[in-house]
C-alpha cells in the first residue's frame, strides 16, 4: 500500500508491505490474499459449485437423465472427476428444480444402511442435538430395514416442501467390498423395484469396478440400466478449468503465456 507519494524530482514513494498491513489489520487478509479457487486433488462439493467448471454439458445431461430415470451411474477412471460432477455439477441443479438431497458414502465400520439413516436424519429432525442424533440413527436404520424408504421419503418431502429426493451414493465401489448382508440391506432400500417414484439415486463408480458391479446378483441389473461414461476433458474445457476460476478473482491473472504452456 502506498503511504506517501512525493511529486519532486525524482519522484519518491513510500510503501507499506502487504505482510505488515496484514499483521496490523488481519481482517484485510481475504481481500489482500483471496482464497484459492482450486481444490487441488480434493473432490468438489456442493458448496464449491460456483468454482466448478468444465463439466456443464455432462451436468445438464445427467440432470435430464434423472428427470426420467430413477437410477443413473457415473462411471469413469480414478481421478476423472466423478464425485465432483455428482456433487458440484448435478446436485445443485436438482436442488434448483425442487429436490432435496443427501450424500452417502459406504464405509467400513458402519453398515451402509446406517450411513443412509445418518444422512436422512437431519432432514427429518433438524433440531436434534448431536447426541440425540446419534441415539436416533439406530432407530431410523431399523425403520428403513423394515419398511424401506416410502414413509421416510414422504415425510422428508413434506417437511422440505420438495418434489423429489436425490440420494448420491459416492464411491460405489466401496460398497462392493462390504459383507454381502450389508450390501443386500442397502439394495433392498435403494436398488429394489419398490423404490418410491420421487426418489432418484445417482452413483459414482470407478471404471475398473464396473465389471464387478455388473456381475453382482443384486446390483448388476440395476446399475447397468443407465450408465454415464465420463471421459477426460478436451482441450477447450481443460482451458476453461484452468482460466475461469482465476478470471473470477479480482486483480488476479496468469503470467502471459502460462495458460498456453499448461494446456
Amino acid at each position: 500500500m502506498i503511504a506517501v507519494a512525493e511529486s519532486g524530482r525524482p519522484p519518491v514513494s513510500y510503501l507499506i508491505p502487504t505482510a505488515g498491513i496484514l499483521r496490523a489489520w488481519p481482517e484485510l487478509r481475504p481481500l489482500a490474499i483471496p482464497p484459492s479457487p482450486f481444490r487441488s486433488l480434493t473432490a468438489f462439493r456442493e458448496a464449491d459449485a460456483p468454482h466448478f467448471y468444465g463439466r456443464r454439458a455432462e451436468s445438464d445431461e445427467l440432470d435430464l437423465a434423472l428427470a426420467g430415470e430413477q437410477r443413473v451411474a457415473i462411471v469413469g477412471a480414478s481421478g476423472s472427476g466423478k464425485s465432483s460432477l455428482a456433487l458440484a455439477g448435478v446436485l445443485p441443479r436438482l436442488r434448483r428444480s425442487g429436490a432435496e438431497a443427501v450424500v452417502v458414502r459406504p464405509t467400513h465400520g458402519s453398515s451402509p444402511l446406517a450411513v443412509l439413516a445418518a444422512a436422512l436424519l437431519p432432514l427429518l429432525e433438524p433440531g436434534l442435538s448431536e447426541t440425540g442424533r446419534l441415539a436416533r440413527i439406530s432407530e431410523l436404520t431399523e425403520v428403513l430395514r423394515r419398511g424401506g424408504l416410502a414413509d421416510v421419503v414422504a415425510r422428508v418431502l413434506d417437511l422440505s416442501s420438495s418434489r423429489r429426493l436425490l440420494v448420491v451414493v459416492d464411491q460405489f465401489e466401496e460398497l462392493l467390498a462390504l459383507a454381502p448382508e450389508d450390501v443386500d440391506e442397502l439394495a433392498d432400500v435403494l436398488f429394489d423395484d419398490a423404490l418410491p417414484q420421487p426418489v432418484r439415486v445417482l452413483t459414482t463408480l470407478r471404471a475398473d469396478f464396473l465389471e464387478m458391479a455388473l456381475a453382482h446378483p443384486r446390483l448388476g441389473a440395476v446399475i447397468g440400466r443407465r450408465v454415464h461414461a465420463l471421459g477426460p476433458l478436451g482441450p477447450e474445457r481443460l482451458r476453461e478449468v484452468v482460466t475461469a476460476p482465476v478470471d473470477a478473482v479480482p486483480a488476479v491473472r496468469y503470467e502471459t503465456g502460462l495458460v498456453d504452456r499448461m494446456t
Side-chain angles (χ1 to χ4, degrees):
M1 183 176 72
I2 297 177
V4 178
E6 298 180 352
S7 59
R9 291 185 178 276
V12 178
S13 298
Y14 300 89
L15 290 81
I16 302 175
T18 301
I21 296 173
L22 296 181
R23 282 196 299 269
W25 198 351
E27 293 83 358
L28 290 177
R29 180 171 294 275
L31 297 176
I33 308 177
S36 172
F38 296 105
R39 294 281 295 164
S40 185
L41 296 179
T42 306
F44 285 79
R45 301 298 175 186
E46 184 178 3
D48 303 311
H51 308 297
F52 183 61
Y53 297 96
R55 295 291 191 184
R56 182 179 304 167
E58 290 89 342
S59 299
D60 291 340
E61 182 179 343
L62 286 162
D63 185 10
L64 183 61
L66 287 165
E69 300 279 350
Q70 281 196 281
R71 302 177 186 88
V72 177
I74 303 173
V75 178
S78 177
S80 60
K82 302 178 296 297
S83 296
S84 297
L85 174 59
L87 302 180
V90 182
L91 195 159
R93 280 167 168 73
L94 266 71
R95 279 205 195 276
R96 289 195 293 269
S97 65
E100 186 56 271
V102 294
V103 180
V104 176
R105 179 176 174 181
T107 56
H108 292 279
S110 183
S111 77
L113 197 60
V115 175
L116 175 60
L120 290 168
L121 194 56
L123 304 182
L124 293 165
E125 302 182 48
L128 273 181
S129 66
E130 190 66 27
T131 303
R133 188 174 298 170
L134 290 173
R136 290 280 287 123
I137 288 175
S138 60
E139 297 176 24
L140 183 54
T141 302
E142 189 60 30
V143 169
L144 294 172
R145 184 179 290 117
R146 292 178 179 274
L149 270 174
D151 292 340
V152 173
V153 168
R155 180 64 175 157
V156 166
L157 298 184
D158 182 59
L159 288 171
S160 62
S161 299
S162 302
R163 298 188 296 109
R164 288 184 292 176
L165 173 66
L166 173 67
V167 180
V168 179
V169 184
D170 193 23
Q171 301 197 18
F172 188 80
E173 61 273 7
E174 295 185 4
L175 180 65
L176 302 175
L178 300 180
E181 56 270 22
D182 288 335
V183 178
D184 287 343
E185 275 192 346
L186 189 66
D188 288 341
V189 175
L190 291 183
F191 300 97
D192 187 81
D193 290 337
L195 185 71
Q197 183 56 37
V199 179
R200 298 293 185 267
V201 181
L202 179 63
T203 59
T204 67
L205 174 68
R206 273 173 48 186
D208 49 326
F209 282 86
L210 178 59
E211 183 177 356
M212 182 186 298
L214 294 176
H216 194 280
R218 290 294 307 278
L219 304 173
V222 179
I223 289 294
R225 287 177 189 171
R226 184 63 185 265
V227 172
H228 179 93
L230 185 63
L233 291 167
E236 184 177 340
R237 288 191 288 174
L238 179 59
R239 191 177 184 90
E240 179 189 349
V241 168
V242 171
T243 59
V246 172
D247 290 343
V249 179
V252 176
R253 63 182 182 275
Y254 283 111
E255 180 183 343
T256 302
L258 181 58
V259 173
D260 294 329
R261 290 166 57 193
M262 290 191 293
T263 59

